[in-house]
Amino acid sequence: MDISRHIQVVSEEGRLLARAAEEAGPDAKVPTCPDWEVRDLLRHTGMVHRWAAAFITERRTEFRLGGQLPDLDGAALLDWFREGHAALVDTLTTAPPDVECWAFLPSPSPLAFWARRQANETTVHRVDAEAARGGTPSPVGVEFAVDGIEELLLGLHAREKSQVRSAVPRVLRVRATDAAAEWSWTVHLSEASPIAERSATAAADCEVSGQAARLYLALWNRLPFPEVTGDRSLAALWRQKSGIVMR
């Protein structure tokens, strides 16, 4: 997926998130993030949107912590979220393609990194908002889901911060069954950070599989794995240890 498509996802998913949050109300519990109410979800995601945009607009070349969460609630909090989301979309849309700023995953450019990262950040939290509201969730496209699985396995969990580790070397297969060409990833687990590759050549101890959108959300611990074969303890290990630290 290119930058413009990722920006489109950020725009669409942010609007869906705000709508679901408004319909749910600030007091609604977020079942996919059990410690949160909708107000916490809006404060967190709105802060992250502003944090990401600042790296681009201010040409920040080193890591900085995100800002303080706002002491806002109700309609004022929704307005604050929408303002920050719109500013992020505008920043991504108008930034020079060669803008130099800090990023924490390999990418063709910092702008490509931030567009992709915020597309996934916003989509996952849109799912959270819709879970709080209830009803039929908005779909996740196959192409975007495959791209998001790539970011998660080959990017975020390739870092030293990943806690998905095994004292005994094991192999986890991840297989999307509805992509145009069936996509598979092999994740080598050990005492070091996971090593993932885009292939299905190595023998696997466990395979998690299903439609790309469901698999994407399962890997983000928003849904159960659609299908698990082999040693189910590896799927359980993923669910217990795959929380992400974003720096």
Side-chain angles (χ1 to χ4, degrees), residues 209-223:
S209 62
Q211 294 182 340
R214 288 188 61 83
L215 199 55
Y216 168 73
L217 293 176
L219 289 165
W220 275 104
N221 290 326
R222 264 54 185 189
L223 289 175

Side-chain angles (χ1 to χ4, degrees), residues 14-52:
R15 289 197 297 270
L16 288 171
L17 192 164
R19 182 190 307 164
E22 185 171 28
E23 292 169 352
D27 297 329
K29 300 293 185 182
V30 182
T32 45
C33 299
D35 294 334
W36 279 1
E37 297 174 341
V38 164
R39 58 173 55 86
D40 302 303
L41 177 64
L42 287 171
R43 289 166 182 163
H44 166 82
T45 313
M47 181 275 292
V48 171
H49 284 170
R50 287 165 168 78
W51 175 75

Side-chain angles (χ1 to χ4, degrees), residues 3 14 24 55 58-59 63 75 103 112 130 137-138 140 157 181 189 193 199 206 223 235 240:
I3 293 173
F55 282 103
E58 299 176 15
R59 308 300 195 261
F63 171 78
E130 291 185 344
S138 304
V140 175
H157 278 290
L189 303 177
S193 54
S199 75
C206 174
L223 289 175
Q240 294 163 6

Side-chain angles (χ1 to χ4, degrees), residues 69-123:
L69 300 180
D71 186 20
L72 297 171
D73 209 346
L77 178 58
L78 268 166
D79 289 344
W80 176 86
F81 172 83
R82 287 182 167 122
E83 289 168 5
H85 169 250
L88 172 63
V89 173
D90 182 66
T91 294
L92 292 169
T93 302
T94 60
D98 60 351
V99 64
E100 290 294 331
C101 63
W102 179 81
F104 61 86
L105 294 179
S107 182
S109 69
L111 183 61
F113 162 79
W114 282 112
R116 186 193 208 191
R117 178 80 291 282
Q118 291 308 299
N120 284 286
E121 176 83 12
T122 308
T123 298

